[in-house]
Amino acid sequence: MTQFKYLLLHAQVGLGVGAFISLLSVTVHHATLSMTQFWLLMGMSVVMGLVTTIFDVERLSFISQLSGHFILELLTYTIFIWLTFHDWVITWHSIPTFGVIYVIVFFYFRQQGQNRARRINEKLATRRRADD
């Protein structure tokens, strides 16, 4: 896969996850977004998707990848909230929500990765048995 396609894929996944979570949040809070807020939100989602490429840096340990990812995602989120509301109180009060959503999304994608690895290992084991 070319580097462009790889980054585009991460941007699309970020956009999808961000749009889903944002739509859920807007619906629960009965909020209305301005067009500026909407485009900021979509831009934040794309950036957050691109930040996930840190997990592909093999020279970093998983803990380093996870820590760096969390910090970069939190920074992106904090900047977005501040640009949207121009209020540090709202920004600071939204951080616990970010933490909860981060943990949920992390465990979802971790489970997806484990399931994918299990399926690949099952196919490899089947091929080995067929070759023997």
Side-chain angles (χ1 to χ4, degrees):
M1 178 180 307
T2 66
Q3 188 72 15
F4 177 75
K5 286 183 181 179
Y6 175 77
L7 292 174
L8 186 60
L9 176 66
H10 279 273
Q12 289 173 332
V13 170
L15 190 60
V17 171
F20 173 74
I21 291 171
S22 301
L23 178 61
L24 185 63
S25 178
V26 167
T27 302
V28 166
H29 294 291
H30 303 288
T32 304
L33 297 177
S34 69
M35 285 306 292
T36 302
Q37 290 171 325
F38 172 78
W39 287 113
L40 279 170
L41 177 65
M42 294 301 107
M44 176 201 67
S45 298
V46 167
V47 170
M48 290 177 123
L50 293 173
V51 167
T52 62
T53 59
I54 195 170
F55 286 109
D56 296 325
V57 179
E58 293 180 9
R59 67 178 183 269
L60 295 176
S61 68
F62 178 71
I63 296 300
S64 297
Q65 291 171 339
L66 185 61
S67 301
H69 182 260
F70 179 80
I71 290 166
L72 290 171
E73 294 283 349
L74 180 61
L75 183 62
T76 303
Y77 180 79
T78 302
I79 290 169
F80 163 74
I81 294 297
W82 188 82
L83 286 173
T84 301
F85 298 106
H86 301 288
D87 186 346
W88 283 110
V89 174
I90 292 172
T91 303
W92 286 112
H93 285 130
S94 69
I95 290 175
T97 303
F98 169 82
V100 169
I101 292 170
Y102 186 89
V103 168
I104 291 168
V105 170
F106 171 78
F107 280 115
Y108 172 77
F109 279 103
R110 182 176 171 105
Q111 186 65 40
Q112 290 291 96
Q114 288 174 339
N115 288 342
R116 187 177 318 115
R118 182 184 42 76
R119 285 191 306 271
I120 290 169
N121 287 332
E122 287 172 356
K123 286 182 181 180
L124 288 173
T126 302
R127 284 185 184 171
R128 281 189 199 130
R129 277 181 261 152
D131 289 341
D132 292 338

